[in-house]
Amino acid sequence: MARVRERAKMRSTVRAGSGAAARGPRTLYDKIWDAHVVRDYDDGSSLIFVDRHLVHEVSSAQAFEGLRRAGRTVRRPDLTLAMPDHNLPTTARTGADGRRLPVADPQSAAQLDALARNVAATAIPYFDATAPEQGIVHVVGPEQGFTLPGSVLACGDSHTAAHGALGALGIGIGTSEVEHVLATQTLRLNRSRAMAVRVDGTPGFGVAPKDVILAIIARIGASGGIGHVIEYRGSTFDAMSVEGRLTVANMSIEAGARAGLFAPDERVFAYLKGRPMAPSGAEWDAALAQWRTLRSDPGARFDKSVAIDATAIAPSVTWGTSPQHVVPITGRVPSPDSFADPVQREAAARSLEYMALLPGQRMEDVAIENIFIGSCTNSRIEDLRAAAAVVRGRRVAAGVRQALVVPGSGLVRRQGEAEGLDRIFREAGFEWREPGCSACLGMNPDTVPAGERCASTANRNFMGRQGPGARTHLLSPAMAAAAAIRGRLTDVRTLMAEAGMGETQMGEAQMGETGA
Amino acid sequence: MTLIRVEGRAYPLGRANVDTDMIIASEWLKTISREGLGKGAFAALRHDPANVFDDPAFAGAAILIAGENFGCGSSREHAAWAMADMGVRVVIAVSLSDIFASNAFKNGVLAVCLPADAVAHLLDAVRGGAGIAVDLEAQAVRCGGRTFAFAIDAFRRRCLMEGLDEIALTLADAEGIAAHEGRVAVDAPWLAMAGRRA
């Protein structure tokens, strides 16, 4: 006990130094930040402790190399978890004889080998390509209970923001910072500003969490969140599943934000209970008591606030090459002239040229050759269920050249198979793949050919993102499924009505009634 | 590599939302080295024959001028490595993605934010043949007879000017890190280890 008191005393001394006490009511972000300050520097930056570090093959090789050259070691391999995801082909990984199949691309193979060697040399826990738990880092972290409320989690990937769905501060970093975390288990950061994004109301039939985050990005713009950490608040999110919140938090970076946070609630606690790396027994009870304090105090000040009415959100799709280029599926391609700002006007004109779209064209008339259901944004079991509900008993349209379903992890894949989702997709003409980042980013064999379009559940519609000249339309899993069935961008509500599907088969899994 | 003053030509790129896929395509991310990425820099924009990077008037520029939200998207440090490898030491933009700015500083590339009207002036002047002087010590950009002051994080400024090894600086605080680890073990033992429990 004496030791505990001494620690507590030491902690309060440290926190008084961080200036937290003087600021009055604190935001959730403040609380997580304050609890992780190792040291405040005179120049305004702080040394922040990193509780969890996810490592993948693309952003880590040069970091490990840097450590080796400087003669440094990994400080806390026990707080680190590694797996391959970006580069890994999503085709079969073992042959009929059970033997491991080689990765054909020599550069990818070398990078994947480098990760395996680096984690072996540093004793970092590792899910290799054939481990049942392997998957996309941002799917696996929450799924394993590696991600916990109130923690600071870093990863050399911008979509680390996703972990904010569980109330963890997920910080995306570059390779130099990966090296810094490996060597010191800390990051030297400046405190971001706080932004509240409030969404209230029960979204309409067929509206998915993806539509909610696209609406948010459209509203605040692709740079609206720069320098800020977003806290998502409001009845729409209270009623949203944890997996839905993962989709929302994931794309915080597409609004320019440093991170996105949800105050953890009973849904999060129920989601985490029993996960392999989550606490259990008495430790679980102690954790729970602390996690329940993780919310912004009444009266906490946000530097910026935005409010959105969920009932006004429609199933949506992007038309351009920035995630802020969003229209309802029932809408039309905007005219560049409709943008007042000359820079935005020029960008819109360039986007339309790249996307081969004309102002005024109906979004529902846009033909699609590729379908991608996957990525760290939308590859969890609820996403696959929502897409399968639309696909069930139907066929992929003749004009669709490739239709991929890529589960976010080996466990999601198995769960999908246990529920028969793989059969629904395969019978309709989809390919059911092994877990990985796949066609989100064009650095493994899953790419979109130049000039072709892809209806994609991923997070970026940048020029060339899915391959040079590829044209990407972002949308929800159910909307991607609808596009596959019709061979063009399609209002999923039409297909749902045809099939006599109600809320219970569709939206409810991710978006409950808010009672608002 | 230290950086105090950079003078000369600049690439007048402009544009909003230049993302890191545009700066370096994912195909280049398979490398396990930091070297040689300049060859792939801005490949997506170089399809356009009128692009600023292949215009002899700007050849060899060490400064790049862009619009809003430069470096948005992926956290790939390869974008900063590619720009440093092609000789760019300073990026001036209306706004910059947080992760890109951090990556740039860690690779000796100064990232400066200036208001939209200042950036518009720089773009016009540079397109008209003017040179630019960026002075990190004075925190000022000079071009075409005008001077624009810029704000910069004190730690980043010092790191650039003195070429500091950030990891060595942090490791000097190893005791503070260990003390924090001790506190976590008592206050939040569930965070003190991440391994499989059962």
Side-chain angles (χ1 to χ4, degrees), chain A residues 59 155-157 172-179, chain B residues 75-77 99 103:
Chain A
S59 58
C155 175
D157 189 273
I173 55 179
T175 299
S176 293
E177 286 183 314
V178 170
E179 186 177 337
Chain B
S75 64
R76 58 188 69 172
E77 195 159 318
I99 302 178
N103 288 339

Side-chain angles (χ1 to χ4, degrees), chain A residues 11 41 43 52 62 72 75-76 111 175-176 179-180 190 222-223 227 283 350 441-443 460 465, chain B residues 15 21 26 29-30 33-34 68-69 73-74 77 98 153 155 165 170 173 181 187 191-192 197:
Chain A
R11 187 180 70 247
Y41 294 99
D43 58 31
R52 298 286 186 269
Q62 291 89 341
R72 289 172 178 143
R75 182 180 179 89
R76 296 293 303 271
Q111 199 175 56
T175 299
S176 293
E179 186 177 337
H180 193 278
N190 289 307
S223 61
E283 213 174 57
R350 212 183 284 119
L441 83 168
M443 78 173 295
R460 291 188 175 133
R465 171 79 179 178
Chain B
R15 297 172 75 123
D21 281 74
S26 59
L29 271 50
K30 295 176 185 176
S33 155
R34 298 177 196 231
E68 203 181 296
N69 205 19
S74 157
E77 195 159 318
D98 294 324
D153 173 73
F155 177 62
D165 174 352
T170 299
D173 258 334
E181 288 169 332
D187 296 344
L191 287 179
R197 307 277 158 155

Side-chain angles (χ1 to χ4, degrees), chain A residues 261-276:
Chain A
L261 280 173
F262 287 82
D265 61 2
E266 297 305 319
R267 289 178 192 272
V268 170
F269 309 146
Y271 172 93
L272 278 172
K273 197 168 169 85
R275 301 269 169 190

Side-chain angles (χ1 to χ4, degrees), chain A residues 55-57 60 64 68 74 77 80-84 112-128 182:
Chain A
V55 170
H56 63 84
E57 75 277 20
S60 67
F64 283 108
R68 272 194 296 276
V74 176
T80 312
L81 178 63
M83 67 207 72
L112 292 161
D113 287 347
L115 179 65
R117 275 199 315 276
N118 287 329
V119 295
T122 52
I124 289 173
Y126 181 55
F127 293 145
D128 110 316
L182 289 171

Side-chain angles (χ1 to χ4, degrees), chain A residues 233-268:
Chain A
R233 302 155 69 88
S235 62
T236 308
F237 297 127
D238 294 340
M240 191 182 278
S241 72
V242 173
E243 294 196 357
R245 294 177 198 176
L246 280 158
T247 299
V248 172
N250 176 275
M251 289 185 73
S252 302
I253 184 73
E254 268 61 63
R258 196 73 183 89
L261 280 173
F262 287 82
D265 61 2
E266 297 305 319
R267 289 178 192 272
V268 170

